[in-house]
Amino acid sequence: MGTWDAGPFANDTAADWCNDLDDAAADARQGLIRATLVRAADTTGHLDADVAEEAVAAAALVAAQCPGGEPAHPHYGPDEPHPDLTGLRALALQGLDRAMAKPSELLELWAESDGGPWQATVNRLRSTLTSRPPGDQLHLS
């Protein structure tokens, strides 16, 4: 695992995924983010670490557009703009939840080291994705 920090973009897989996202046509970026989240959320067996790392990065991009969301990492996150992703909040939560549920290779890898900072990162993303301003409703269907 080429990981240098607990942030959602602080690993080789997420950085490469962000580069792919930057290389995609502007009108294809939302679809790529959605497909990444679906791939993780729909995995019923063992979840590969690469799929989970990409899903965490995709969820972080969705969270960045939510109130209180942290922007993507300036060096390892994507450089190109993407459309409104706030409609993907529920799917981003599903992707994060799957990355954190056994059997997940990423969860296992972080359990082998001090996974506390990574768990805190995921918890912050979940909190951002679930919080909403008055009048805004998150539909978890």
Side-chain angles (χ1 to χ4, degrees):
M1 175 167 73
T3 300
W4 51 88
D5 194 11
F9 303 102
N11 60 76
D12 291 336
T13 302
D16 290 345
W17 180 81
C18 288
N19 287 333
D20 292 343
L21 187 62
D22 282 340
D23 291 343
D27 61 350
R29 292 185 188 125
Q30 183 180 34
L32 180 59
I33 293 166
R34 174 185 291 281
T36 298
L37 293 168
V38 166
R39 188 167 75 157
D42 285 355
T43 299
T44 56
H46 182 79
L47 182 66
D48 183 70
D50 290 347
V51 175
E53 287 170 333
E54 290 174 355
V56 171
L61 294 179
V62 176
Q65 293 185 355
C66 295
E70 297 178 21
H73 192 280
H75 300 293
Y76 305 115
D79 294 323
E80 298 298 321
H82 21 277
D84 180 11
L85 302 172
T86 55
L88 299 177
R89 288 167 67 181
L91 184 57
L93 283 167
Q94 292 170 9
L96 284 177
D97 288 347
R98 182 58 194 92
M100 297 299 298
K102 295 180 182 182
S104 168
E105 182 182 20
L106 185 59
L107 184 61
E108 293 166 9
L109 290 170
W110 277 105
E112 293 172 3
S113 64
D114 178 17
W118 179 72
Q119 179 72 42
T121 295
V122 173
N123 288 340
R124 276 193 308 276
L125 290 174
R126 284 195 101 267
S127 178
T128 300
L129 290 165
T130 57
S131 65
R132 54 198 180 275
D136 181 28
Q137 296 189 0
L138 177 63
H139 301 284
L140 298 174
S141 53

